[in-house]
Amino acid sequence: QKEVEQNSGPLSVPEGAIASLNCTYSDRGSQSFFWYRQYSGKSPELIMFIYSNGDKEDGRFTAQLNKASQYVSLLIRDSQPSDSATYLCAVNRPGTYKYIFGTGTRLKVLA
Amino acid sequence: DVKVTQSSRYLVKRTGEKVFLECVQDMDHENMFWYRQDPGLGLRLIYFSYDVKMKEKGDIPEGYSVSREKKERFSLILESASTNQTSMYLCASSLPDRGSNYGYTFGSGTRLTVV
């Protein structure tokens, strides 16, 4: 089992819709969870982090964490073509400085 | 604007060459990391450093070494480049994780091709 798993996609949504991206992780001790956005040919940029169970909202983005089920998700409301990118989930490896990345979900927002 | 700067955007090297990839950050971050990113494999940690002259192996350290002589600079060294080291190399920095971590800041990446 991979430490961090994401569906590779592509996930296609129409402009204005809600995009839902999911990530599962294997280590129950993980405490820190991050979402990065990576445009083609560019480096990842941090868009959200979450530590506690529940929802965290920042503008059009909402991160959701469920530690009991070991998943973290990212919702993008009112999706725009400029949101088209690969979204990477990252999870800390407990007791270390290391963060493990999923392979990313490619999102395509159709105009 | 805070930055992580990687010295080269594109590099082409020959098999067997010694290759240096440089990374400099201006955020006074303690932690620095080197990842490589390959299609279908995602980001894989090569080495990281949590302080000057301190380093630890990541998940795929074979064929690589690192140097951190100053807090702001973290270098990745390919001792004898091979074609399977053709990849995108990403440097990142962060504050220490003291229960309130704000994630990584990445450099723009170096696309290395070994021929």
Side-chain angles (χ1 to χ4, degrees):
Chain A
Q1 181 187 8
K2 288 185 179 178
E3 289 184 84
V4 180
E5 292 205 62
Q6 296 181 255
N7 189 316
S8 61
L11 171 67
S12 295
V13 300
E15 184 175 358
I18 295 175
S20 177
L21 305 162
N22 298 312
C23 171
T24 59
Y25 60 95
S26 61
D27 195 324
R28 286 197 171 274
S30 294
Q31 297 291 326
S32 307
F33 308 87
F34 301 84
W35 283 100
Y36 290 83
R37 176 177 61 201
Q38 185 174 25
Y39 292 113
S40 180
K42 302 293 186 181
S43 58
E45 57 177 325
L46 180 68
I47 53 173
M48 291 284 288
F49 61 89
I50 187 167
Y51 306 122
S52 304
N53 272 329
D55 295 359
K56 180 181 178 182
E57 189 174 314
D58 183 1
R60 294 187 298 113
F61 298 98
T62 299
Q64 299 177 317
L65 175 60
N66 184 323
K67 290 185 178 180
S69 299
Q70 294 176 243
Y71 80 79
V72 56
S73 60
L74 179 69
L75 302 179
I76 306 174
R77 289 182 300 283
D78 188 25
S79 295
Q80 301 297 310
S82 59
D83 295 325
S84 298
T86 296
Y87 289 81
L88 304 173
C89 171
V91 176
N92 78 301
R93 188 179 278 166
T96 77
Y97 293 98
K98 302 177 187 178
Y99 286 79
I100 308 302
F101 285 79
T103 54
T105 298
R106 187 171 159 222
L107 173 66
K108 297 175 73 172
V109 180
L110 307 173
Chain B
D1 193 18
V2 293
K3 270 191 191 173
V4 177
T5 303
Q6 293 183 233
S7 54
S8 303
R9 188 75 178 96
Y10 298 96
L11 273 180
V12 180
K13 296 293 182 179
R14 295 194 179 278
T15 302
E17 276 194 77
K18 192 169 186 175
V19 181
F20 294 85
L21 302 182
E22 306 287 342
C23 176
V24 177
Q25 52 98 359
D26 64 0
M27 295 170 283
D28 203 34
H29 283 173
E30 283 88 344
N31 296 345
M32 296 187 75
F33 307 82
W34 276 106
Y35 284 85
R36 62 177 285 178
Q37 186 173 30
D38 301 287
L41 297 176
L43 282 108
R44 294 179 291 166
L45 181 63
I46 304 171
Y47 265 98
F48 68 102
S49 168
Y50 50 91
D51 202 350
V52 176
K53 296 190 186 294
M54 306 302 288
K55 60 187 179 185
E56 284 196 24
K57 294 180 180 179
D59 297 319
I60 51 163
E62 296 77 19
Y64 303 94
S65 63
V66 290
S67 172
R68 193 166 181 201
E69 296 297 318
K70 294 184 178 181
K71 189 176 185 179
E72 66 270 20
R73 186 180 297 270
F74 191 36
S75 302
L76 179 69
I77 303 154
L78 285 67
E79 299 290 344
S80 177
S82 63
T83 54
N84 63 12
Q85 293 178 308
T86 291
S87 186
M88 170 68 87
Y89 289 87
L90 289 162
C91 176
S93 72
S94 76
L95 291 168
D97 189 347
R98 300 192 180 106
S100 179
N101 189 295
Y102 299 98
Y104 294 164
T105 300
F106 282 92
S108 56
T110 296
R111 185 164 293 281
L112 173 67
T113 303
V114 182
V115 297

